[in-house]
Amino acid sequence: MELFKIENCRKSFDGEEILKGISLSVSKGEVVSVIGPSGSGKSTLLRCACMLETMDGGMLSYAGKVAAHEENGRVIYAPHSELKEIRKTFGLVFQNFNLFPHYSVLKNVTEPQIIAGRSKAEAEEKALECLKKLGLQDKANYYPCQLSGGQQQRASIARALALEPKVLFFDEPTSALDPELTGEVLKVIRDLAAMHMTMIIVTHEMNFAREVSDRMIFMEHGVVRAEGTPDELFGSDDERLKAFMGKLGGN
């Protein structure tokens, strides 16, 4: 079952074309890693997919429900009520955690659920379940400033999981972490992959991407330059791809 699809996505900022017609679809249980050099458009693609940015052209759908389509050269988004339901389909884990500093960990995980319509009791029960799954049950009443970077990122993953998304996006989930804290976050994502969570991961961790991905997408200059299984991309004869992988320790 196809859970996510974006077709011919185009996006420009200040006259500079960042995405030049990107298409990507992801099926249930699939893990897709998006790799590429800085400035290739990876994070912009995720922001368009999550509707944090509006597309200049293209089509976007989740589980068969069309969030946006192009008509007469314009992108038309679905009505607000439909988008509200579609947004429940996916979650996004940011690279900089985006936790509310004045909320406890428990409230950070609980509040989005309450906004989505759950009772406080239901939301707290789900939050504690997710925090336990991520090894943070003893940190529920701590504030973000009292946590390590790895713990903050795990808390942000718990917040996303508590909403029970069908698709989970990660935007460079370890880029803000010290090297010794990176491993604990990557382990969480590995565990989610083993549970067949549908994920799209923008990452610079090549060996990690090779391990967890069903497919990998290599982006450069706003286009998909290569796509395939990890073995296909790591075994590619494309000199540019080989150079990129080698520079980031992927070979």
Side-chain angles (χ1 to χ4, degrees):
M1 177 185 178
E2 191 176 73
L3 287 185
F4 166 76
K5 187 174 188 178
I6 195 166
E7 286 187 341
N8 197 26
C9 176
R10 304 184 303 283
K11 180 66 180 179
S12 297
F13 292 107
D14 299 323
E16 182 182 357
E17 197 174 18
I18 305 300
L19 300 177
K20 305 174 183 179
I22 299 284
S23 295
L24 172 64
S25 63
V26 179
S27 299
K28 184 177 180 180
E30 193 175 18
V31 178
V32 176
S33 290
V34 182
I35 63 172
S38 297
S40 59
K42 306 183 301 297
S43 291
T44 300
L45 174 63
L46 247 62
R47 292 180 66 82
C48 286
C50 295
M51 293 181 276
L52 295 174
E53 298 284 356
T54 56
M55 301 185 296
D56 295 334
M59 186 280 297
L60 174 65
S61 68
Y62 285 91
K65 295 181 179 179
V66 177
H69 69 282
E70 189 169 355
E71 191 174 300
N72 299 323
R74 293 177 59 245
V75 175
I76 299 173
Y77 282 82
H80 177 74
S81 58
E82 291 181 29
L83 290 181
K84 186 177 180 180
E85 289 303 308
I86 290 172
R87 284 191 172 96
K88 294 179 181 179
T89 307
F90 62 85
L92 172 61
V93 177
F94 298 89
Q95 54 184 291
N96 291 316
F97 322 139
N98 280 26
L99 298 171
F100 290 109
H102 57 293
Y103 284 178
S104 67
V105 170
L106 181 62
K107 189 168 183 180
N108 264 287
V109 180
T110 301
E111 199 69 12
Q113 298 178 68
I114 294 172
I115 292 171
R118 283 186 183 155
S119 70
K120 183 178 180 181
E122 288 176 322
E124 287 190 353
E125 181 180 356
K126 187 66 180 179
L128 289 170
E129 175 190 322
C130 291
L131 289 172
K132 183 177 181 180
K133 187 180 295 184
L134 295 176
L136 291 173
Q137 64 269 35
D138 60 334
K139 306 295 184 185
N141 294 316
Y142 282 48
Y143 286 83
C145 65
Q146 297 174 294
L147 303 181
S148 70
Q151 290 169 336
Q152 288 186 60
Q153 189 60 294
R154 281 189 281 148
S156 71
I157 295 172
R159 177 181 57 192
L161 288 176
L163 292 167
E164 300 180 307
K166 293 180 179 177
V167 182
L168 195 52
F169 293 92
F170 290 87
D171 186 8
E172 297 278 14
T174 62
S175 67
L177 300 177
D178 293 333
E180 67 262 25
L181 298 177
T182 294
E184 66 184 73
V185 173
L186 296 183
K187 181 185 182 301
V188 169
I189 301 173
R190 285 189 188 96
D191 291 344
L192 292 174
M195 293 161 52
H196 305 293
M197 180 78 199
T198 307
M199 294 185 285
I200 301 169
I201 308 167
V202 168
T203 183
H204 59 271
E205 300 282 349
M206 292 297 100
N207 290 323
F208 166 73
R210 184 175 195 171
E211 177 188 343
V212 302
S213 304
D214 297 298
R215 273 190 297 138
M216 294 177 68
I217 308 291
F218 176 61
M219 286 181 61
E220 189 170 41
H221 303 307
V223 300
V224 173
R225 177 159 178 160
E227 177 178 356
T229 65
D231 285 347
E232 287 171 340
L233 262 66
F234 277 85
S236 173
D237 292 328
D238 185 307
E239 291 300 325
R240 174 67 186 103
L241 185 53
K242 286 167 68 175
F244 177 77
M245 297 285 203
K247 185 180 293 185
L248 291 186
N251 288 325

